[in-house]
Amino acid sequence: MTTVPFETGSMCVLLGKVARWHRDLRRLHQMPIQLLSSQVIDQIAAGEVVERPASAVKELVENAIDAGATRLVIEIEEGGRDLLRIQDDGHGIPHEELALAVTAHATSKIGGIADLERVSTLGFRGEALAAIGSVSRLSLTSKPASQSSAGRIEVNSGLIAGPMPAAGKCGTCVEVRNLFGSIPARRKFLKSAGAEAARIVEVVLAAALPRPEVSFEVTSGGRTLLRLNRAAGLRARTIDALGDELDPHLLTVSGVAVGDSGESVSVDGFVGTPDTARGSSKWLRIYMNGRPIIDRSLQHAVREGFRGLIEPGAFPVAVLFVACPPSLVDVNVHPAKTEVRFRQPSLMHRLVHAAVRDALAVSDIVPVLSPRQMTWGGVNATAAPLPFAASVLANSPAEAAASTTDSLSLSAIAAGRLLQVNRTWLVFEEAGALVVVDQHALHERVLFEEFLARVQQGDLESQPLLVPQIFAADAAAIERVEAMGALLLRLGIDLRQASPRSLALHAVPTLLASRGVDALDFAKSLVENESSAGARLGDSASATGSEVEAALAEVLDMMACKAAVKAGDTLTASEASALLARRVDVERSSRCPHGRPTSMRIPLVELERRFGRR
Amino acid sequence: MPATTTTDTLKIVCDRATLVEALSMAGGVVATRSPAPALLCVRLVAKDGALSIQATDTEVGLSLTLASVEVSRDGEALIPADKLSQIAHACDDSTLTLEVERNALLVKGAHSKFKVFGYDIKLFPGVKDGANLATEFEVSGSVLRRMIARTVFATSPDSSRYAINGVLLERKARRLKMVATDGKRLALASGDCSSPADGDFSCIVPTKALKVLSRLLDDPEATVQVMRDKTRAIFAVGDGAVLSTSVVEGPFPPYQDVIPKDPDKAAVFESAELAAGVKRAALLTNEESKGVRFSFSESTLKLTSRSAEMGEAEIEVPLVSYKGEPIELGFNPGYISDVLRIAESTEMTIEMRSPGKPALIRVGNDFQYVVMPINTA
């Protein structure tokens, strides 16, 4: 038996704590079960609908739009904490309906459960005004065109006063003061006035994009934060909202698909060319029946459409409007309505993916060196003059290559028509511009498309090896390879586990073997670099079509990269022109499969400008 | 060589044609690109009434002795190989005079005079001549040359597995074997040799060395003496040329396991007939679908090929004889035409078991060629 020494003082403190804990528990038990007052219910519900000033603005803007407004003016103060005022010119609320308008679950937008199936207005739950009213001082002034004067109703932390006659313009004006004044906890979580204002601008912008026929204005303390005048169409509105500089770079997207039971779904909108890609998904906006939504699957579809055209971490600029019969989508998933559930998600994914891809395929998206990007000229200004004379004198590319061991060497290909620079770039003149092509990137893209086309016809031809090539691999790599086994076989790659710590390569695609790609080297890089797509295949028990496609693209990309000419390879004149000739045949030849550009155009106008000729 | 004042004074008169040939041979050895200029040079050594021309890229070294020279003064020089070779080639004199003057070599013909700047002779790494090594075995030049031709084409020039960049040279008693593979096909050539030494011999010789060696074996009467030390193999051809090469480290694939043991089908065909047929069938293959289907049956071989963009071909090739069940398998036509081109035989046999198992082509008793069929899509 052992004795544990303890200190009397600390033991007393501990006992005191236990006693208090028991008392608290008793008090909890003493509270009887009771129905919450409607005020408390509204405040709890408000927590879901109205999280911050921006979410109140969203609800109110949606109401105004549903009321047929063509002009919305939003005034805020202190990031919306002190004041939110939304004035619209919509059809207004008749005097006798004002009281109902601020009551929970009262709405003019649906009548019964059946209507939920075909909701076409932005709002429908009948919660917004009641919820906002329960956590602020709200006043609603409205004058339908048919009524001679306006009516007003006020709600103070859920207590309704009115309706009463008031002065007001046609339409509705909602004023929200002291938002969350009665819930200090919520108010404490708000960000700075500037940050809240920015969120408000963002929700107004999001609501404005699909509605060029409505003008929007946001002011804060008298300062204009956003002004969008009525625009001629979606394109004009998109440019107004996202910035003029996008104007020359917006491609039109349009696609239609038919669902299982004959309903047609469509997507329209715009994507920016690959060189407008941004670092954040903020620029990738998707609307479903006019409602901004956040849908990972559709975002993925857009990015898949850009696969190989932008770098993996980048996000394309896109504003897409998906139209879908209400029966094919459930918008009643979340009070904020930013999430929706499609009844046929794969149909939607295919639709968006194909439409984006087509928009990119038909366009000439070679990046142009524009005056905006000054870095090129800046570097050149201090660089030593290029040894043009010396290199153009060399008769053959081989000679030129052999005679120079400098870091920069030029070889004249085809008598002045085409230059190979530093055995990396091909330079030539085309349609009023100097074009610089990265030979590896272009060949990689050309081969990638060829391989892809070949795979779509059927499995690749495979050359088994006389002796399997065995190499060490860790457990994770082996698992990835197992998960991808079927896919790799389609590509003529037979790679299997040989022992717990090694893999055996049994067969390679003939198209790699015939291009002199070392099989073992290829298999090793396949196993090492197969981190993303292969891993995803392994994670999900049943891989979806798009995941398989992504993994396939990744392996094909690697094959193309290995088989393509490298920077540093001397190309003969005929090789170089054959490669360039294929540039026009290949879809998306302006980017290599990794998304790096394959070519760059320097317009002659730009050269003239730099040489002071204009 | 004793580096002394005499190094500055080399002076010889030599037959131009012989010099051109020797320099061209040496040109096959010197490095193509190297930061060390000495590796782009040949070393000229005039001594004991002969001129020796040496070149190396440090892997392969070559020393050629030219007897048809008049040495006025012994000496040495280190001169850029390509320039000297171009000069010798461009002149039309029957003899040329070579003379060292300070740091340059004077090359004089009847009406032309060149001065080529050289490098310090001490920069040259040197070439092994195998003088102190015991001969492992001797083989006739013609046998070795044929064995090289029958194997070197099947090596894998770009492989990261260095062992199959070269050719395995193996001697057991008086039987010499050379084996080459690129992983998809394997060539095994055999020949007789004489062996003063006991014990077996085995090493992997780099492809580059064998290509140079093959050019040295012009004279079918010549005898090749093979020697080796720890890191190099040395081939002395006749009495004028010595090639030394570093041997490739690492294990060669177990080639005995690859040679099919139990084929149950065998077709005998005429090489020229099959070569023509394969050439035609290959017209409708491309980089993406290489394979030609071989359908063997009683008395005929049908070759078919198909390319999605271009079209199809069907070629019939008569067989001398066929034994076994009909079989259909795909081959890379290049792998078949390679062997038909180099085998130098009118008739050969192909032995098979199943489309997934390697096929064996036999040419006489001295050449076997194993090729793995393709899974045509």
Side-chain angles (χ1 to χ4, degrees):
Chain A
M1 213 172 130
T2 53
T3 53
V4 182
F6 63 88
E7 202 209 316
T8 331
S10 62
M11 195 60 187
C12 288
V13 172
L14 195 65
L15 285 173
K17 275 187 179 170
V18 171
R20 273 199 302 281
W21 182 49
H22 273 274
R23 201 176 57 225
D24 288 348
L25 262 181
R26 263 202 314 281
R27 191 187 290 162
L28 265 179
H29 283 298
Q30 279 161 5
M31 190 181 278
I33 294 176
Q34 53 192 346
L35 269 174
L36 295 174
S37 72
S38 62
Q39 196 180 346
V40 175
I41 292 175
D42 283 348
Q43 285 200 358
I44 291 172
E48 288 175 28
V49 182
V50 188
E51 199 183 0
R52 52 182 359 117
S55 36
V57 171
K58 176 172 180 290
E59 296 295 331
L60 299 173
V61 165
E62 285 182 358
N63 280 349
I65 289 167
D66 284 345
T70 61
R71 178 161 191 275
L72 260 82
V73 180
I74 297 115
E75 291 162 71
I76 63 175
E77 264 162 37
E78 279 303 301
R81 238 179 287 214
D82 291 359
L83 172 73
L84 292 173
R85 184 189 292 128
I86 286 123
Q87 169 77 53
D88 69 46
D89 61 352
H91 52 59
I93 303 168
H95 197 80
E96 61 277 16
E97 290 175 16
L98 281 175
L100 264 180
V102 294
T103 309
H105 308 299
T107 181
S108 59
K109 296 168 187 177
I110 59 174
I113 192 75
D115 291 347
L116 265 184
E117 287 283 291
R118 44 189 168 76
V119 174
S120 59
T121 50
L122 291 173
F124 57 87
R125 296 165 66 112
E127 288 176 329
L129 285 175
I132 298 167
S134 69
V135 292
S136 68
R137 274 195 292 125
L138 178 143
S139 95
L140 174 74
T141 312
S142 193
K143 175 179 170 303
S146 57
Q147 237 169 256
S148 58
S149 66
R152 172 178 300 165
I153 192 156
E154 288 178 0
V155 190
N156 193 347
S157 298
L159 301 173
I160 299 175
M164 57 199 100
K169 296 186 268 187
C170 274
T172 305
C173 177
V174 180
E175 248 184 48
V176 179
R177 289 181 185 274
N178 201 20
L179 186 62
F180 301 130
S182 54
I183 316 177
R186 174 76 64 167
R187 203 169 165 95
K188 222 167 62 185
F189 276 97
L190 297 183
K191 299 254 186 324
S192 69
E196 292 297 338
R199 284 173 192 256
I200 290 170
V201 169
E202 167 55 32
V203 302
V204 175
L205 189 73
L209 268 169
R211 299 182 180 82
E213 71 283 3
V214 183
S215 70
F216 292 84
E217 189 177 342
V218 182
T219 60
S220 169
R223 204 160 53 89
T224 304
L225 300 182
L226 177 76
R227 187 201 296 273
L228 293 170
N229 294 330
R230 245 163 270 171
L234 286 172
R235 189 188 165 93
R237 169 55 56 91
T238 303
I239 289 163
D240 285 351
L242 300 186
D244 289 349
E245 71 276 9
L246 278 177
D247 189 9
H249 304 292
L250 277 191
L251 308 173
T252 304
V253 175
S254 173
V256 182
V258 176
D260 289 347
S261 38
E263 318 88 334
S264 79
V265 289
S266 67
V267 61
D268 293 281
F270 311 96
V271 290
T273 52
D275 38 316
T276 62
R278 312 287 163 108
S280 125
S281 64
K282 231 179 87 181
W283 300 84
L284 204 175
R285 293 166 183 272
I286 299 172
Y287 290 83
M288 202 280 309
N289 296 345
R291 186 193 308 277
I293 56 166
I294 295 168
D295 188 284
R296 294 177 60 87
S297 158
L298 294 188
Q299 285 184 350
H300 178 258
V302 177
R303 295 186 71 190
E304 277 300 293
F306 274 85
R307 166 177 287 286
L309 294 176
I310 58 175
E311 281 158 44
F315 290 85
V317 173
V319 180
L320 297 176
F321 306 100
V322 177
C324 168
S327 59
L328 276 189
V329 63
D330 183 2
V331 292
N332 194 18
V333 179
H334 186 268
K337 299 172 198 140
T338 53
E339 282 174 43
V340 297
R341 212 161 275 160
F342 291 107
R343 306 245 195 276
Q344 294 172 30
S346 63
L347 171 76
M348 304 309 292
H349 188 279
R350 272 203 311 278
L351 167 73
V352 170
H353 178 215
V356 169
R357 199 175 179 284
D358 290 350
L360 291 167
V362 298
S363 314
D364 179 20
I365 45 181
V366 176
V368 174
L369 182 79
S370 71
R372 225 179 273 273
Q373 299 160 274
M374 288 300 286
T375 46
W376 191 77
V379 171
N380 241 21
T382 52
L386 308 182
F388 263 104
S391 50
V392 175
L393 283 176
N395 290 329
S396 71
E399 243 181 82
S403 63
T404 29
T405 44
D406 305 334
S407 65
L408 183 72
S409 66
L410 287 158
S411 354
I413 296 176
R417 303 269 307 142
L418 186 61
L419 277 175
Q420 188 186 25
V421 181
N422 207 22
R423 280 177 284 141
T424 302
W425 290 286
L426 303 175
V427 181
F428 56 98
E429 183 190 342
E430 184 185 77
L434 190 67
V435 182
V436 184
V437 166
D438 179 330
Q439 62 185 37
H440 172 70
L442 176 61
H443 196 212
E444 185 177 339
R445 167 52 83 185
V446 166
L447 288 180
F448 177 81
E449 296 290 339
E450 278 180 16
F451 293 175
L452 189 64
R454 179 64 189 75
V455 170
Q456 279 157 0
Q457 289 164 20
D459 294 358
L460 290 188
E461 194 175 85
S462 170
Q463 168 74 65
L465 301 178
L466 283 169
V467 182
Q469 299 199 11
I470 295 174
F471 58 98
D474 60 20
I478 292 171
E479 201 171 306
R480 283 200 300 276
V481 167
E482 303 263 292
M484 297 184 62
L487 176 81
L488 293 179
L489 277 182
R490 277 177 65 195
L491 300 177
I493 305 164
D494 185 356
L495 190 57
R496 282 177 260 154
Q497 184 167 8
S499 77
R501 309 294 288 167
S502 68
L503 286 163
L505 180 67
H506 291 267
V508 289
T510 52
L511 58 78
L512 279 192
S514 68
R515 285 185 170 85
V517 176
D518 181 46
L520 188 62
D521 183 34
F522 171 70
K524 280 182 181 166
S525 51
L526 183 68
V527 168
E528 281 156 18
N529 297 350
E530 206 48 69
S531 48
S532 49
R536 279 202 303 279
L537 276 185
D539 287 346
S540 52
S542 57
T544 65
S546 63
E547 277 167 342
V548 173
E549 196 178 308
L552 179 77
E554 209 170 271
V555 180
L556 285 179
D557 178 12
M558 197 168 288
M559 288 167 60
C561 185
K562 293 274 175 196
V565 296
K566 304 284 181 295
D569 288 352
T570 304
L571 296 187
T572 64
S574 59
E575 284 170 336
S577 34
L579 176 59
L580 292 175
R582 280 147 93 189
R583 192 167 69 113
V584 288
D585 303 335
V586 171
E587 268 185 69
R588 303 186 288 179
S589 66
S590 68
R591 299 271 166 163
C592 83
H594 302 300
R596 284 186 288 117
T598 61
S599 17
M600 170 166 290
R601 298 174 68 86
I602 303 165
L604 295 183
V605 182
E606 176 62 19
L607 288 181
E608 285 166 358
R609 206 186 61 76
R610 280 169 196 266
F611 283 96
R613 284 178 170 272
R614 55 163 70 195
Chain B
M1 294 292 144
T4 63
T5 48
T6 59
T7 52
D8 281 346
T9 61
L10 170 147
K11 184 173 182 187
I12 55 164
V13 180
C14 68
D15 178 54
R16 190 184 63 87
T18 318
L19 182 66
V20 166
E21 200 194 317
L23 287 172
S24 136
M25 204 78 84
V29 173
V30 292
T32 42
R33 293 175 79 94
S34 172
L39 293 182
L40 304 173
C41 289
V42 287
R43 178 202 205 185
L44 307 175
V45 183
K47 200 189 169 196
D48 303 336
L51 172 69
S52 147
I53 296 181
Q54 299 174 356
T56 183
D57 67 349
T58 69
E59 289 262 299
V60 179
L62 177 65
S63 168
L64 298 168
T65 306
L66 275 60
S68 54
V69 290
E70 247 174 59
V71 178
S72 321
R73 288 201 300 269
D74 284 2
E76 290 180 63
L78 190 60
I79 305 297
D82 62 337
K83 208 37 78 186
L84 186 55
S85 178
Q86 284 164 16
I87 289 169
H89 197 81
C91 290
D92 51 6
D93 309 84
S94 64
T95 59
L96 289 173
T97 305
L98 309 185
E99 185 178 358
V100 168
E101 190 188 272
R102 283 198 212 101
N103 58 345
L105 181 74
L106 303 178
V107 182
K108 282 183 269 187
H111 306 288
S112 32
K113 188 173 158 189
F114 302 86
K115 185 174 181 179
V116 184
F117 298 113
Y119 289 89
D120 184 352
I121 196 78
K122 292 188 211 63
L123 297 173
F124 192 73
V127 170
K128 266 220 160 58
D129 58 6
N132 317 319
L133 297 170
T135 302
E136 291 272 347
F137 60 89
E138 268 182 23
V139 57
S140 107
S142 58
V143 169
L144 187 58
R145 190 177 186 189
R146 191 174 68 209
M147 288 173 67
I148 293 172
R150 285 177 163 184
T151 49
V152 82
F153 73 96
T155 54
S156 178
D158 305 319
S159 178
S160 54
R161 299 161 74 204
Y162 295 108
I164 64 171
N165 289 347
V167 176
L168 178 68
L169 180 63
E170 203 177 63
R171 181 185 63 82
K172 287 203 166 78
R174 297 169 67 87
R175 194 72 177 152
L176 190 62
K177 281 182 180 171
M178 288 178 75
V179 191
T181 183
D182 64 2
K184 295 136 210 158
R185 37 114 176 237
L186 179 143
L188 167 58
S190 318
D192 291 329
C193 61
S194 65
S195 52
D198 292 333
D200 297 342
F201 175 94
S202 170
C203 70
I204 301 170
V205 184
T207 312
K208 177 179 177 178
L210 290 177
K211 285 183 174 159
V212 176
L213 180 58
S214 179
R215 287 178 65 189
L216 294 173
L217 297 172
D218 262 352
D219 176 8
E221 303 296 312
T223 311
V224 183
Q225 291 185 314
V226 182
M227 294 149 274
R228 71 165 298 176
D229 64 11
K230 272 191 190 121
T231 59
R232 300 183 79 82
I234 291 132
F235 300 83
V237 182
D239 39 44
V242 178
L243 178 100
S244 75
T245 172
S246 54
V247 295
V248 181
E249 297 292 324
F252 198 80
Y255 71 91
Q256 293 293 2
D257 301 349
V258 168
I259 296 169
K261 302 292 183 297
D262 50 359
D264 54 3
K265 303 168 188 71
V268 179
F269 53 83
E270 282 189 20
S271 311
E273 297 261 18
L274 184 62
V278 169
K279 192 175 165 190
R280 287 180 209 135
L283 292 175
L284 287 177
T285 61
N286 61 17
E287 296 275 289
E288 278 71 46
S289 35
K290 273 256 172 249
V292 169
R293 296 201 70 76
F294 285 57
S295 313
F296 291 93
S297 60
E298 202 83 24
S299 80
T300 46
L301 163 62
K302 194 169 78 185
L303 307 177
T304 49
S305 61
R306 199 170 74 81
S307 146
E309 310 86 65
M310 294 182 291
E312 302 178 5
E314 189 178 312
I315 316 290
E316 280 191 16
V317 178
L319 291 179
V320 177
S321 70
Y322 184 70
K323 190 182 86 212
E325 296 286 305
I327 184 175
E328 191 173 298
L329 28 70
F331 287 114
N332 181 332
Y335 291 173
I336 303 293
S337 51
D338 276 353
V339 68
L340 294 169
R341 191 177 63 244
I342 54 90
E344 297 173 348
S345 165
T346 52
E347 223 176 64
M348 42 182 91
T349 312
I350 179 165
E351 298 174 8
M352 298 152 286
R353 182 163 185 93
S354 78
K357 290 265 167 65
L360 173 64
I361 293 177
R362 282 184 196 276
V363 182
N365 291 323
D366 285 343
F367 186 33
Q368 291 169 296
Y369 182 70
V370 184
V371 57
M372 194 70 191
I374 277 180
N375 300 331
T376 51

